[in-house]
Amino acid sequence: MTEIQWHQRLHWRGAITFLLLLIAVEIPFWMLAWSLEVEDPERAMARALGLATVGALATIVLHTIAASIYMRRRMDATRRVLLGSVAGERLLNRVPDEISLLVDEVGDRIHEMRASMVRLQQERGRLRALLEGMEEAVLMLDDAERVLVANTVAEKLLHLSKNYVGGRLSAVCDVPRLQAVVSEVLWAHEPSALDIDFMSKGEVLHVAVTAYPIMSGENATGVVIVMHDLTQLRRLERVRRDFVANVSHELRTPIATIRSAAETLSLANLELDPELREFLPTIERNADRMGTLVEDLLVLSRLEAAGEEISLHDVSLSAVFAGIVDQCDPFARERGVELIMDVEEDLPRAYAEEGALTQILQNLIENGIKYTPSGGSVTVTAHRKGAKRLRLTITDTGPGIGAEHLPRIFERFYRVDVGRSRDIGGTGLGLAIVKHLVRKLKGKIEVESEPDHGTSFTLDLRAYRPEKAS
């Protein structure tokens, strides 16, 4: 409504009000003036006041009745407008006033709310379609661990009871480990990722769980859980691991027989053609290589076995380095490579397992010696990394590794240079074994290398702290 229309409305209502007051007040005084001419002045005055009072009361009553009827009609029209009635809109638009303005404002807010509700419903539909289209199970809970949202995959995986929405997780789902994860994330305000196992219909399920807190300021208002069922993958990995272990175990005997037969023929004073005798070293060399490959496969299968953990304790690095030097230094001198040990004085003891740590370092150092040309060097450094960690570095001056190979060098049977690796005698499993051993020690290993600039392996281990170990 424009300002001119507003003022016009005020002038019209003022005129009506003035006319009513004029009728209520002026008429009695006209009658008073007429009475003064024909009657006693006192009686005329009393009559005039009475008529004025009656007129005023009648005016008020009529105005109240008219206003009540008008307001009732306007409120009915307003109610119909709020309910979406077109007839109500026509009635309100017929005589615009303050109620119409209020209804217009409320109507605008209602239209905005309806549009917002439509958008929210659309977003909810998209979110539901997204959740239902995921292969992972998704679960959302509030800060009281009540279930708010769960997709179909989560319902099937956790076998949620009926009417689970709004129920506590402990009441609708019988997976105590998952409940512990939710409580931990709500308390710590930090995401958590781990694998859990639980029984479901007589079957053990292996599930990878990732939980994220929903933060509002500094408070956690809920948790979002994403679960991926790894049961089939774990089953396939177990079948593959068992197959490799069984085949490797069965190959031990024939390989040992071949090696023994070749050694016997070499040592026996048998009259063999010179050409046949030349094959004996080849047979021995390849039998030894196959034996080493089988042993590495068995070690790797054992490390990958689910549930097998290494017992960690305090380990003296000085003793480990002394044993490695005794084993690797003769090999280094034979190949013309200098082995340098740079160990920090008063180095703390490591929280590890001596056999596993020795195998890791020996594997990395021997690899460095094998791939470093004569005249080069392999340097082993050890120093503190803060109060809780130890850092060991094995650096060689070999040919280096291209950047495209670095992400895959810890894969089994992966070789940067296949021909060179076979000539040296590698099995392609050494770094895969190193990776699994480092994981068992709760450590971390990284590699840096550039072609023609050597290779550096960095191993981070935990320092031994008696209060934590106990």
Side-chain angles (χ1 to χ4, degrees), residues 22 34 48 63 70 89 126 130 138 156 185 229-230 243 267 297 299 316 395 412 421 429 438 464:
L22 181 63
W34 177 75
H63 188 272
Y70 177 79
E89 293 182 0
R126 296 190 187 104
L130 177 63
V138 181
K156 296 179 179 179
V185 171
D229 189 0
L230 303 177
F243 172 78
L267 297 175
L297 283 173
V299 170
S316 172
T395 305
R412 63 184 69 196
S421 298
L429 296 173
V438 171
Y464 177 75

mmCIF file with all atom_site columns, all heavy atoms in Angstrom, residues 22 34 48 63 70 89 126 130 138 156 185 229-230 243 267 297 299 316 395 412 421 429 438 464:
data_model
loop_
_atom_site.group_PDB
_atom_site.id
_atom_site.type_symbol
_atom_site.label_atom_id
_atom_site.label_alt_id
_atom_site.label_comp_id
_atom_site.label_asym_id
_atom_site.label_entity_id
_atom_site.label_seq_id
_atom_site.pdbx_PDB_ins_code
_atom_site.Cartn_x
_atom_site.Cartn_y
_atom_site.Cartn_z
_atom_site.occupancy
_atom_site.B_iso_or_equiv
_atom_site.pdbx_formal_charge
_atom_site.auth_seq_id
_atom_site.auth_comp_id
_atom_site.auth_asym_id
_atom_site.auth_atom_id
_atom_site.pdbx_PDB_model_num
ATOM 1   N N   . LEU A 1 22  ? -20.583 14.088  15.969  1.00 0.00 ? 22  LEU A N   1
ATOM 2   C CA  . LEU A 1 22  ? -21.457 15.235  15.741  1.00 0.00 ? 22  LEU A CA  1
ATOM 3   C C   . LEU A 1 22  ? -22.915 14.855  16.001  1.00 0.00 ? 22  LEU A C   1
ATOM 4   O O   . LEU A 1 22  ? -23.674 15.615  16.632  1.00 0.00 ? 22  LEU A O   1
ATOM 5   C CB  . LEU A 1 22  ? -21.289 15.725  14.302  1.00 0.00 ? 22  LEU A CB  1
ATOM 6   C CG  . LEU A 1 22  ? -22.127 16.952  13.908  1.00 0.00 ? 22  LEU A CG  1
ATOM 7   C CD1 . LEU A 1 22  ? -21.716 18.167  14.744  1.00 0.00 ? 22  LEU A CD1 1
ATOM 8   C CD2 . LEU A 1 22  ? -21.969 17.256  12.430  1.00 0.00 ? 22  LEU A CD2 1
ATOM 9   N N   . TRP A 1 34  ? -33.893 24.377  21.402  1.00 0.00 ? 34  TRP A N   1
ATOM 10  C CA  . TRP A 1 34  ? -35.321 24.426  21.088  1.00 0.00 ? 34  TRP A CA  1
ATOM 11  C C   . TRP A 1 34  ? -36.162 24.392  22.354  1.00 0.00 ? 34  TRP A C   1
ATOM 12  O O   . TRP A 1 34  ? -37.162 25.077  22.484  1.00 0.00 ? 34  TRP A O   1
ATOM 13  C CB  . TRP A 1 34  ? -35.656 23.226  20.184  1.00 0.00 ? 34  TRP A CB  1
ATOM 14  C CG  . TRP A 1 34  ? -37.133 23.150  19.867  1.00 0.00 ? 34  TRP A CG  1
ATOM 15  C CD1 . TRP A 1 34  ? -37.849 23.924  19.014  1.00 0.00 ? 34  TRP A CD1 1
ATOM 16  C CD2 . TRP A 1 34  ? -38.044 22.242  20.467  1.00 0.00 ? 34  TRP A CD2 1
ATOM 17  N NE1 . TRP A 1 34  ? -39.147 23.590  18.992  1.00 0.00 ? 34  TRP A NE1 1
ATOM 18  C CE2 . TRP A 1 34  ? -39.312 22.517  19.899  1.00 0.00 ? 34  TRP A CE2 1
ATOM 19  C CE3 . TRP A 1 34  ? -37.948 21.240  21.431  1.00 0.00 ? 34  TRP A CE3 1
ATOM 20  C CZ2 . TRP A 1 34  ? -40.461 21.826  20.251  1.00 0.00 ? 34  TRP A CZ2 1
ATOM 21  C CZ3 . TRP A 1 34  ? -39.089 20.552  21.754  1.00 0.00 ? 34  TRP A CZ3 1
ATOM 22  C CH2 . TRP A 1 34  ? -40.318 20.839  21.173  1.00 0.00 ? 34  TRP A CH2 1
ATOM 23  N N   . ALA A 1 48  ? -31.421 17.587  27.897  1.00 0.00 ? 48  ALA A N   1
ATOM 24  C CA  . ALA A 1 48  ? -30.341 17.597  26.902  1.00 0.00 ? 48  ALA A CA  1
ATOM 25  C C   . ALA A 1 48  ? -29.185 16.704  27.325  1.00 0.00 ? 48  ALA A C   1
ATOM 26  O O   . ALA A 1 48  ? -28.615 15.952  26.529  1.00 0.00 ? 48  ALA A O   1
ATOM 27  C CB  . ALA A 1 48  ? -29.852 19.034  26.689  1.00 0.00 ? 48  ALA A CB  1
ATOM 28  N N   . HIS A 1 63  ? -21.107 1.209   17.443  1.00 0.00 ? 63  HIS A N   1
ATOM 29  C CA  . HIS A 1 63  ? -19.749 1.115   16.907  1.00 0.00 ? 63  HIS A CA  1
ATOM 30  C C   . HIS A 1 63  ? -19.094 -0.214  17.313  1.00 0.00 ? 63  HIS A C   1
ATOM 31  O O   . HIS A 1 63  ? -18.389 -0.859  16.524  1.00 0.00 ? 63  HIS A O   1
ATOM 32  C CB  . HIS A 1 63  ? -18.926 2.309   17.409  1.00 0.00 ? 63  HIS A CB  1
ATOM 33  C CG  . HIS A 1 63  ? -17.570 2.386   16.751  1.00 0.00 ? 63  HIS A CG  1
ATOM 34  N ND1 . HIS A 1 63  ? -16.461 1.725   17.239  1.00 0.00 ? 63  HIS A ND1 1
ATOM 35  C CD2 . HIS A 1 63  ? -17.163 3.045   15.625  1.00 0.00 ? 63  HIS A CD2 1
ATOM 36  C CE1 . HIS A 1 63  ? -15.417 1.969   16.461  1.00 0.00 ? 63  HIS A CE1 1
ATOM 37  N NE2 . HIS A 1 63  ? -15.816 2.784   15.465  1.00 0.00 ? 63  HIS A NE2 1
ATOM 38  N N   . TYR A 1 70  ? -17.372 -6.604  11.816  1.00 0.00 ? 70  TYR A N   1
ATOM 39  C CA  . TYR A 1 70  ? -16.327 -6.370  10.805  1.00 0.00 ? 70  TYR A CA  1
ATOM 40  C C   . TYR A 1 70  ? -15.076 -7.219  11.105  1.00 0.00 ? 70  TYR A C   1
ATOM 41  O O   . TYR A 1 70  ? -14.507 -7.870  10.218  1.00 0.00 ? 70  TYR A O   1
ATOM 42  C CB  . TYR A 1 70  ? -15.992 -4.885  10.777  1.00 0.00 ? 70  TYR A CB  1
ATOM 43  C CG  . TYR A 1 70  ? -14.870 -4.534  9.823   1.00 0.00 ? 70  TYR A CG  1
ATOM 44  C CD1 . TYR A 1 70  ? -15.113 -4.440  8.457   1.00 0.00 ? 70  TYR A CD1 1
ATOM 45  C CD2 . TYR A 1 70  ? -13.582 -4.308  10.296  1.00 0.00 ? 70  TYR A CD2 1
ATOM 46  C CE1 . TYR A 1 70  ? -14.094 -4.127  7.585   1.00 0.00 ? 70  TYR A CE1 1
ATOM 47  C CE2 . TYR A 1 70  ? -12.564 -3.994  9.429   1.00 0.00 ? 70  TYR A CE2 1
ATOM 48  C CZ  . TYR A 1 70  ? -12.820 -3.887  8.071   1.00 0.00 ? 70  TYR A CZ  1
ATOM 49  O OH  . TYR A 1 70  ? -11.811 -3.584  7.205   1.00 0.00 ? 70  TYR A OH  1
ATOM 50  N N   . GLU A 1 89  ? -8.879  -14.348 -0.044  1.00 0.00 ? 89  GLU A N   1
ATOM 51  C CA  . GLU A 1 89  ? -8.025  -13.304 -0.596  1.00 0.00 ? 89  GLU A CA  1
ATOM 52  C C   . GLU A 1 89  ? -8.859  -12.229 -1.286  1.00 0.00 ? 89  GLU A C   1
ATOM 53  O O   . GLU A 1 89  ? -8.572  -11.030 -1.162  1.00 0.00 ? 89  GLU A O   1
ATOM 54  C CB  . GLU A 1 89  ? -7.041  -13.928 -1.584  1.00 0.00 ? 89  GLU A CB  1
ATOM 55  C CG  . GLU A 1 89  ? -6.017  -14.857 -0.933  1.00 0.00 ? 89  GLU A CG  1
ATOM 56  C CD  . GLU A 1 89  ? -5.035  -15.397 -1.947  1.00 0.00 ? 89  GLU A CD  1
ATOM 57  O OE1 . GLU A 1 89  ? -5.172  -15.026 -3.139  1.00 0.00 ? 89  GLU A OE1 1
ATOM 58  O OE2 . GLU A 1 89  ? -4.159  -16.176 -1.557  1.00 0.00 ? 89  GLU A OE2 1
ATOM 59  N N   . ARG A 1 126 ? 17.096  -36.052 -1.795  1.00 0.00 ? 126 ARG A N   1
ATOM 60  C CA  . ARG A 1 126 ? 18.417  -36.284 -2.390  1.00 0.00 ? 126 ARG A CA  1
ATOM 61  C C   . ARG A 1 126 ? 19.327  -37.003 -1.406  1.00 0.00 ? 126 ARG A C   1
ATOM 62  O O   . ARG A 1 126 ? 20.072  -37.916 -1.790  1.00 0.00 ? 126 ARG A O   1
ATOM 63  C CB  . ARG A 1 126 ? 19.037  -34.956 -2.819  1.00 0.00 ? 126 ARG A CB  1
ATOM 64  C CG  . ARG A 1 126 ? 18.268  -34.226 -3.915  1.00 0.00 ? 126 ARG A CG  1
ATOM 65  C CD  . ARG A 1 126 ? 19.073  -33.064 -4.442  1.00 0.00 ? 126 ARG A CD  1
ATOM 66  N NE  . ARG A 1 126 ? 18.307  -32.243 -5.370  1.00 0.00 ? 126 ARG A NE  1
ATOM 67  C CZ  . ARG A 1 126 ? 17.784  -31.073 -5.065  1.00 0.00 ? 126 ARG A CZ  1
ATOM 68  N NH1 . ARG A 1 126 ? 17.945  -30.580 -3.839  1.00 0.00 ? 126 ARG A NH1 1
ATOM 69  N NH2 . ARG A 1 126 ? 17.104  -30.376 -5.955  1.00 0.00 ? 126 ARG A NH2 1
ATOM 70  N N   . LEU A 1 130 ? 20.992  -40.590 -1.840  1.00 0.00 ? 130 LEU A N   1
ATOM 71  C CA  . LEU A 1 130 ? 22.436  -40.760 -1.728  1.00 0.00 ? 130 LEU A CA  1
ATOM 72  C C   . LEU A 1 130 ? 22.787  -41.853 -0.729  1.00 0.00 ? 130 LEU A C   1
ATOM 73  O O   . LEU A 1 130 ? 23.631  -42.720 -0.991  1.00 0.00 ? 130 LEU A O   1
ATOM 74  C CB  . LEU A 1 130 ? 23.081  -39.434 -1.308  1.00 0.00 ? 130 LEU A CB  1
ATOM 75  C CG  . LEU A 1 130 ? 24.600  -39.449 -1.070  1.00 0.00 ? 130 LEU A CG  1
ATOM 76  C CD1 . LEU A 1 130 ? 25.330  -39.787 -2.362  1.00 0.00 ? 130 LEU A CD1 1
ATOM 77  C CD2 . LEU A 1 130 ? 25.064  -38.100 -0.534  1.00 0.00 ? 130 LEU A CD2 1
ATOM 78  N N   . VAL A 1 138 ? 25.592  -46.459 6.723   1.00 0.00 ? 138 VAL A N   1
ATOM 79  C CA  . VAL A 1 138 ? 25.701  -45.124 7.324   1.00 0.00 ? 138 VAL A CA  1
ATOM 80  C C   . VAL A 1 138 ? 24.709  -45.020 8.469   1.00 0.00 ? 138 VAL A C   1
ATOM 81  O O   . VAL A 1 138 ? 23.535  -45.383 8.324   1.00 0.00 ? 138 VAL A O   1
ATOM 82  C CB  . VAL A 1 138 ? 25.442  -44.007 6.290   1.00 0.00 ? 138 VAL A CB  1
ATOM 83  C CG1 . VAL A 1 138 ? 25.577  -42.640 6.933   1.00 0.00 ? 138 VAL A CG1 1
ATOM 84  C CG2 . VAL A 1 138 ? 26.415  -44.140 5.125   1.00 0.00 ? 138 VAL A CG2 1
ATOM 85  N N   . LYS A 1 156 ? 20.386  -53.690 7.549   1.00 0.00 ? 156 LYS A N   1
ATOM 86  C CA  . LYS A 1 156 ? 20.645  -55.109 7.325   1.00 0.00 ? 156 LYS A CA  1
ATOM 87  C C   . LYS A 1 156 ? 21.917  -55.566 8.031   1.00 0.00 ? 156 LYS A C   1
ATOM 88  O O   . LYS A 1 156 ? 21.964  -56.670 8.585   1.00 0.00 ? 156 LYS A O   1
ATOM 89  C CB  . LYS A 1 156 ? 20.743  -55.393 5.829   1.00 0.00 ? 156 LYS A CB  1
ATOM 90  C CG  . LYS A 1 156 ? 19.449  -55.145 5.068   1.00 0.00 ? 156 LYS A CG  1
ATOM 91  C CD  . LYS A 1 156 ? 19.619  -55.423 3.582   1.00 0.00 ? 156 LYS A CD  1
ATOM 92  C CE  . LYS A 1 156 ? 18.315  -55.194 2.826   1.00 0.00 ? 156 LYS A CE  1
ATOM 93  N NZ  . LYS A 1 156 ? 18.498  -55.437 1.361   1.00 0.00 ? 156 LYS A NZ  1
ATOM 94  N N   . VAL A 1 185 ? 34.078  -41.387 20.630  1.00 0.00 ? 185 VAL A N   1
ATOM 95  C CA  . VAL A 1 185 ? 34.099  -40.222 19.736  1.00 0.00 ? 185 VAL A CA  1
ATOM 96  C C   . VAL A 1 185 ? 33.356  -39.047 20.367  1.00 0.00 ? 185 VAL A C   1
ATOM 97  O O   . VAL A 1 185 ? 33.801  -37.893 20.277  1.00 0.00 ? 185 VAL A O   1
ATOM 98  C CB  . VAL A 1 185 ? 33.484  -40.597 18.368  1.00 0.00 ? 185 VAL A CB  1
ATOM 99  C CG1 . VAL A 1 185 ? 33.293  -39.353 17.506  1.00 0.00 ? 185 VAL A CG1 1
ATOM 100 C CG2 . VAL A 1 185 ? 34.372  -41.598 17.650  1.00 0.00 ? 185 VAL A CG2 1
ATOM 101 N N   . ASP A 1 229 ? 31.606  -53.435 5.061   1.00 0.00 ? 229 ASP A N   1
ATOM 102 C CA  . ASP A 1 229 ? 31.671  -54.861 5.358   1.00 0.00 ? 229 ASP A CA  1
ATOM 103 C C   . ASP A 1 229 ? 32.850  -55.488 4.595   1.00 0.00 ? 229 ASP A C   1
ATOM 104 O O   . ASP A 1 229 ? 32.861  -55.542 3.360   1.00 0.00 ? 229 ASP A O   1
ATOM 105 C CB  . ASP A 1 229 ? 30.366  -55.542 4.952   1.00 0.00 ? 229 ASP A CB  1
ATOM 106 C CG  . ASP A 1 229 ? 30.296  -56.989 5.440   1.00 0.00 ? 229 ASP A CG  1
ATOM 107 O OD1 . ASP A 1 229 ? 31.258  -57.435 6.091   1.00 0.00 ? 229 ASP A OD1 1
ATOM 108 O OD2 . ASP A 1 229 ? 29.272  -57.647 5.181   1.00 0.00 ? 229 ASP A OD2 1
ATOM 109 N N   . LEU A 1 230 ? 33.843  -55.948 5.350   1.00 0.00 ? 230 LEU A N   1
ATOM 110 C CA  . LEU A 1 230 ? 35.042  -56.551 4.767   1.00 0.00 ? 230 LEU A CA  1
ATOM 111 C C   . LEU A 1 230 ? 35.042  -58.065 4.892   1.00 0.00 ? 230 LEU A C   1
ATOM 112 O O   . LEU A 1 230 ? 36.088  -58.696 4.655   1.00 0.00 ? 230 LEU A O   1
ATOM 113 C CB  . LEU A 1 230 ? 36.292  -55.990 5.460   1.00 0.00 ? 230 LEU A CB  1
ATOM 114 C CG  . LEU A 1 230 ? 36.478  -54.473 5.436   1.00 0.00 ? 230 LEU A CG  1
ATOM 115 C CD1 . LEU A 1 230 ? 37.719  -54.096 6.221   1.00 0.00 ? 230 LEU A CD1 1
ATOM 116 C CD2 . LEU A 1 230 ? 36.579  -53.966 4.003   1.00 0.00 ? 230 LEU A CD2 1
ATOM 117 N N   . PHE A 1 243 ? 46.389  -70.685 0.588   1.00 0.00 ? 243 PHE A N   1
ATOM 118 C CA  . PHE A 1 243 ? 46.869  -71.344 -0.624  1.00 0.00 ? 243 PHE A CA  1
ATOM 119 C C   . PHE A 1 243 ? 48.374  -71.140 -0.791  1.00 0.00 ? 243 PHE A C   1
ATOM 120 O O   . PHE A 1 243 ? 49.122  -72.096 -1.062  1.00 0.00 ? 243 PHE A O   1
ATOM 121 C CB  . PHE A 1 243 ? 46.121  -70.806 -1.841  1.00 0.00 ? 243 PHE A CB  1
ATOM 122 C CG  . PHE A 1 243 ? 46.678  -71.273 -3.151  1.00 0.00 ? 243 PHE A CG  1
ATOM 123 C CD1 . PHE A 1 243 ? 46.411  -72.549 -3.610  1.00 0.00 ? 243 PHE A CD1 1
ATOM 124 C CD2 . PHE A 1 243 ? 47.471  -70.431 -3.913  1.00 0.00 ? 243 PHE A CD2 1
ATOM 125 C CE1 . PHE A 1 243 ? 46.931  -72.985 -4.824  1.00 0.00 ? 243 PHE A CE1 1
ATOM 126 C CE2 . PHE A 1 243 ? 47.994  -70.865 -5.117  1.00 0.00 ? 243 PHE A CE2 1
ATOM 127 C CZ  . PHE A 1 243 ? 47.729  -72.146 -5.580  1.00 0.00 ? 243 PHE A CZ  1
ATOM 128 N N   . LEU A 1 267 ? 79.703  -83.249 -5.960  1.00 0.00 ? 267 LEU A N   1
ATOM 129 C CA  . LEU A 1 267 ? 80.752  -83.784 -5.088  1.00 0.00 ? 267 LEU A CA  1
ATOM 130 C C   . LEU A 1 267 ? 81.173  -85.187 -5.476  1.00 0.00 ? 267 LEU A C   1
ATOM 131 O O   . LEU A 1 267 ? 82.291  -85.628 -5.161  1.00 0.00 ? 267 LEU A O   1
ATOM 132 C CB  . LEU A 1 267 ? 80.268  -83.762 -3.636  1.00 0.00 ? 267 LEU A CB  1
ATOM 133 C CG  . LEU A 1 267 ? 79.975  -82.376 -3.044  1.00 0.00 ? 267 LEU A CG  1
ATOM 134 C CD1 . LEU A 1 267 ? 79.384  -82.513 -1.650  1.00 0.00 ? 267 LEU A CD1 1
ATOM 135 C CD2 . LEU A 1 267 ? 81.238  -81.523 -3.018  1.00 0.00 ? 267 LEU A CD2 1
ATOM 136 N N   . LEU A 1 297 ? 57.888  -66.478 1.196   1.00 0.00 ? 297 LEU A N   1
ATOM 137 C CA  . LEU A 1 297 ? 56.434  -66.606 1.092   1.00 0.00 ? 297 LEU A CA  1
ATOM 138 C C   . LEU A 1 297 ? 55.841  -67.107 2.401   1.00 0.00 ? 297 LEU A C   1
ATOM 139 O O   . LEU A 1 297 ? 54.774  -66.639 2.838   1.00 0.00 ? 297 LEU A O   1
ATOM 140 C CB  . LEU A 1 297 ? 56.068  -67.544 -0.054  1.00 0.00 ? 297 LEU A CB  1
ATOM 141 C CG  . LEU A 1 297 ? 56.171  -66.980 -1.468  1.00 0.00 ? 297 LEU A CG  1
ATOM 142 C CD1 . LEU A 1 297 ? 55.949  -68.084 -2.494  1.00 0.00 ? 297 LEU A CD1 1
ATOM 143 C CD2 . LEU A 1 297 ? 55.160  -65.857 -1.689  1.00 0.00 ? 297 LEU A CD2 1
ATOM 144 N N   . VAL A 1 299 ? 57.129  -66.687 5.406   1.00 0.00 ? 299 VAL A N   1
ATOM 145 C CA  . VAL A 1 299 ? 57.237  -65.597 6.382   1.00 0.00 ? 299 VAL A CA  1
ATOM 146 C C   . VAL A 1 299 ? 56.133  -64.578 6.151   1.00 0.00 ? 299 VAL A C   1
ATOM 147 O O   . VAL A 1 299 ? 55.467  -64.115 7.096   1.00 0.00 ? 299 VAL A O   1
ATOM 148 C CB  . VAL A 1 299 ? 58.622  -64.935 6.287   1.00 0.00 ? 299 VAL A CB  1
ATOM 149 C CG1 . VAL A 1 299 ? 58.667  -63.660 7.118   1.00 0.00 ? 299 VAL A CG1 1
ATOM 150 C CG2 . VAL A 1 299 ? 59.699  -65.895 6.755   1.00 0.00 ? 299 VAL A CG2 1
ATOM 151 N N   . SER A 1 316 ? 67.688  -53.212 22.950  1.00 0.00 ? 316 SER A N   1
ATOM 152 C CA  . SER A 1 316 ? 68.895  -52.413 22.866  1.00 0.00 ? 316 SER A CA  1
ATOM 153 C C   . SER A 1 316 ? 69.309  -52.276 21.403  1.00 0.00 ? 316 SER A C   1
ATOM 154 O O   . SER A 1 316 ? 69.638  -53.269 20.736  1.00 0.00 ? 316 SER A O   1
ATOM 155 C CB  . SER A 1 316 ? 70.020  -53.061 23.669  1.00 0.00 ? 316 SER A CB  1
ATOM 156 O OG  . SER A 1 316 ? 71.243  -52.380 23.439  1.00 0.00 ? 316 SER A OG  1
ATOM 157 N N   . THR A 1 395 ? 70.622  -45.058 4.140   1.00 0.00 ? 395 THR A N   1
ATOM 158 C CA  . THR A 1 395 ? 70.819  -44.302 2.912   1.00 0.00 ? 395 THR A CA  1
ATOM 159 C C   . THR A 1 395 ? 71.939  -44.936 2.100   1.00 0.00 ? 395 THR A C   1
ATOM 160 O O   . THR A 1 395 ? 73.013  -45.222 2.642   1.00 0.00 ? 395 THR A O   1
ATOM 161 C CB  . THR A 1 395 ? 71.176  -42.840 3.216   1.00 0.00 ? 395 THR A CB  1
ATOM 162 O OG1 . THR A 1 395 ? 70.173  -42.273 4.060   1.00 0.00 ? 395 THR A OG1 1
ATOM 163 C CG2 . THR A 1 395 ? 71.283  -42.022 1.946   1.00 0.00 ? 395 THR A CG2 1
ATOM 164 N N   . ARG A 1 412 ? 54.314  -56.846 -3.049  1.00 0.00 ? 412 ARG A N   1
ATOM 165 C CA  . ARG A 1 412 ? 54.999  -58.117 -3.259  1.00 0.00 ? 412 ARG A CA  1
ATOM 166 C C   . ARG A 1 412 ? 55.275  -58.330 -4.738  1.00 0.00 ? 412 ARG A C   1
ATOM 167 O O   . ARG A 1 412 ? 54.476  -57.987 -5.602  1.00 0.00 ? 412 ARG A O   1
ATOM 168 C CB  . ARG A 1 412 ? 54.172  -59.268 -2.698  1.00 0.00 ? 412 ARG A CB  1
ATOM 169 C CG  . ARG A 1 412 ? 52.837  -59.455 -3.381  1.00 0.00 ? 412 ARG A CG  1
ATOM 170 C CD  . ARG A 1 412 ? 52.033  -60.548 -2.724  1.00 0.00 ? 412 ARG A CD  1
ATOM 171 N NE  . ARG A 1 412 ? 51.610  -60.124 -1.393  1.00 0.00 ? 412 ARG A NE  1
ATOM 172 C CZ  . ARG A 1 412 ? 51.158  -60.961 -0.466  1.00 0.00 ? 412 ARG A CZ  1
ATOM 173 N NH1 . ARG A 1 412 ? 51.103  -62.251 -0.719  1.00 0.00 ? 412 ARG A NH1 1
ATOM 174 N NH2 . ARG A 1 412 ? 50.780  -60.507 0.696   1.00 0.00 ? 412 ARG A NH2 1
ATOM 175 N N   . SER A 1 421 ? 67.219  -57.134 -10.798 1.00 0.00 ? 421 SER A N   1
ATOM 176 C CA  . SER A 1 421 ? 66.820  -57.797 -9.560  1.00 0.00 ? 421 SER A CA  1
ATOM 177 C C   . SER A 1 421 ? 67.075  -59.294 -9.638  1.00 0.00 ? 421 SER A C   1
ATOM 178 O O   . SER A 1 421 ? 67.535  -59.920 -8.682  1.00 0.00 ? 421 SER A O   1
ATOM 179 C CB  . SER A 1 421 ? 65.348  -57.525 -9.272  1.00 0.00 ? 421 SER A CB  1
ATOM 180 O OG  . SER A 1 421 ? 65.113  -56.150 -9.101  1.00 0.00 ? 421 SER A OG  1
ATOM 181 N N   . LEU A 1 429 ? 60.077  -59.943 -2.457  1.00 0.00 ? 429 LEU A N   1
ATOM 182 C CA  . LEU A 1 429 ? 59.223  -59.994 -1.272  1.00 0.00 ? 429 LEU A CA  1
ATOM 183 C C   . LEU A 1 429 ? 59.844  -59.302 -0.068  1.00 0.00 ? 429 LEU A C   1
ATOM 184 O O   . LEU A 1 429 ? 59.180  -59.148 0.958   1.00 0.00 ? 429 LEU A O   1
ATOM 185 C CB  . LEU A 1 429 ? 58.926  -61.458 -0.901  1.00 0.00 ? 429 LEU A CB  1
ATOM 186 C CG  . LEU A 1 429 ? 58.120  -62.262 -1.928  1.00 0.00 ? 429 LEU A CG  1
ATOM 187 C CD1 . LEU A 1 429 ? 58.044  -63.720 -1.505  1.00 0.00 ? 429 LEU A CD1 1
ATOM 188 C CD2 . LEU A 1 429 ? 56.730  -61.680 -2.082  1.00 0.00 ? 429 LEU A CD2 1
ATOM 189 N N   . VAL A 1 438 ? 57.129  -53.689 10.131  1.00 0.00 ? 438 VAL A N   1
ATOM 190 C CA  . VAL A 1 438 ? 57.035  -52.339 10.693  1.00 0.00 ? 438 VAL A CA  1
ATOM 191 C C   . VAL A 1 438 ? 55.640  -52.094 11.246  1.00 0.00 ? 438 VAL A C   1
ATOM 192 O O   . VAL A 1 438 ? 55.467  -51.493 12.314  1.00 0.00 ? 438 VAL A O   1
ATOM 193 C CB  . VAL A 1 438 ? 57.399  -51.288 9.627   1.00 0.00 ? 438 VAL A CB  1
ATOM 194 C CG1 . VAL A 1 438 ? 57.088  -49.879 10.127  1.00 0.00 ? 438 VAL A CG1 1
ATOM 195 C CG2 . VAL A 1 438 ? 58.858  -51.394 9.250   1.00 0.00 ? 438 VAL A CG2 1
ATOM 196 N N   . TYR A 1 464 ? 61.272  -46.809 24.224  1.00 0.00 ? 464 TYR A N   1
ATOM 197 C CA  . TYR A 1 464 ? 60.766  -47.582 25.364  1.00 0.00 ? 464 TYR A CA  1
ATOM 198 C C   . TYR A 1 464 ? 60.586  -46.657 26.561  1.00 0.00 ? 464 TYR A C   1
ATOM 199 O O   . TYR A 1 464 ? 61.499  -45.927 26.954  1.00 0.00 ? 464 TYR A O   1
ATOM 200 C CB  . TYR A 1 464 ? 61.733  -48.704 25.717  1.00 0.00 ? 464 TYR A CB  1
ATOM 201 C CG  . TYR A 1 464 ? 61.307  -49.491 26.933  1.00 0.00 ? 464 TYR A CG  1
ATOM 202 C CD1 . TYR A 1 464 ? 60.255  -50.400 26.849  1.00 0.00 ? 464 TYR A CD1 1
ATOM 203 C CD2 . TYR A 1 464 ? 61.946  -49.318 28.158  1.00 0.00 ? 464 TYR A CD2 1
ATOM 204 C CE1 . TYR A 1 464 ? 59.849  -51.117 27.969  1.00 0.00 ? 464 TYR A CE1 1
ATOM 205 C CE2 . TYR A 1 464 ? 61.551  -50.038 29.273  1.00 0.00 ? 464 TYR A CE2 1
ATOM 206 C CZ  . TYR A 1 464 ? 60.509  -50.937 29.173  1.00 0.00 ? 464 TYR A CZ  1
ATOM 207 O OH  . TYR A 1 464 ? 60.105  -51.633 30.274  1.00 0.00 ? 464 TYR A OH  1
#
